[in-house]
């Protein structure tokens, strides 16, 4: 009898966990459903991809396309240095207009 109760409880736990993955949507699918989104990536991310993205070279298109696909979008629309208006200024003591080399990289993705 104990074994039956233990197996039933374990099965219910596994079913609840599996159901939670089906019921709760993730952010990427919600963002991708809207049609387009712009992502700001720090220029000093430590990976060195900002040089390709900022220059608009073909290597930047490959990186931007991979970023969009990883976020659930079909393709990249635009990419390059962000405009000063793109940053919200939500961080204290942030300069009003950072130098071009320190601005984040903007990637706009569309479906």
């Amino acid at each position: 009898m104990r074994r039956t109760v233990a197996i039933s409880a374990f099965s219910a736990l596994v079913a609840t966990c599996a159901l939670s993955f089906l019921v709760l949507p993730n952010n990427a699918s919600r963002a991708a459903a809207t049609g387009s989104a712009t992502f700001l990536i720090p220029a000093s991310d430590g990976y060195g991809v900002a040089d390709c993205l900022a220059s608009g070279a073909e290597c930047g298109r490959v990186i931007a396309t991979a970023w969009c696909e990883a976020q659930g979008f079909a393709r990249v629309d635009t990419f390059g240095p962000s405009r000063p208006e793109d940053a919200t200024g939500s961080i204290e003591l942030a300069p009003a207009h950072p130098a071009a080399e320190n601005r984040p990289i903007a990637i706009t993705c569309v479906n």
Side-chain angles (χ1 to χ4, degrees):
M1 180 71 181
R2 287 184 194 164
R3 185 176 290 169
T4 304
V5 171
I7 291 174
S8 297
F10 180 73
S11 298
L13 179 65
V14 169
T16 302
C17 290
L19 185 62
S20 70
F21 286 113
L22 297 175
V23 174
L24 299 174
N26 62 20
N27 290 337
S29 64
R30 276 189 276 160
T34 62
S36 70
T38 300
F39 301 94
L40 295 178
I41 301 170
S44 59
D45 64 354
Y47 293 104
V49 298
D51 295 333
C52 279
L53 289 169
S55 69
E58 190 58 34
C59 62
R61 179 158 297 282
V62 171
I63 293 168
T65 300
W67 177 269
C68 290
E69 289 174 356
Q71 303 302 319
F73 289 91
R75 62 184 175 83
V76 63
D77 187 30
T78 60
F79 65 94
S82 66
R83 299 172 308 193
E85 308 82 60
D86 291 340
T88 62
S90 60
I91 300 173
E92 289 185 34
L93 302 175
H97 298 287
E101 64 272 0
N102 293 332
R103 279 195 205 135
I105 306 300
I107 299 177
T108 303
C109 304
V110 294
N111 280 331

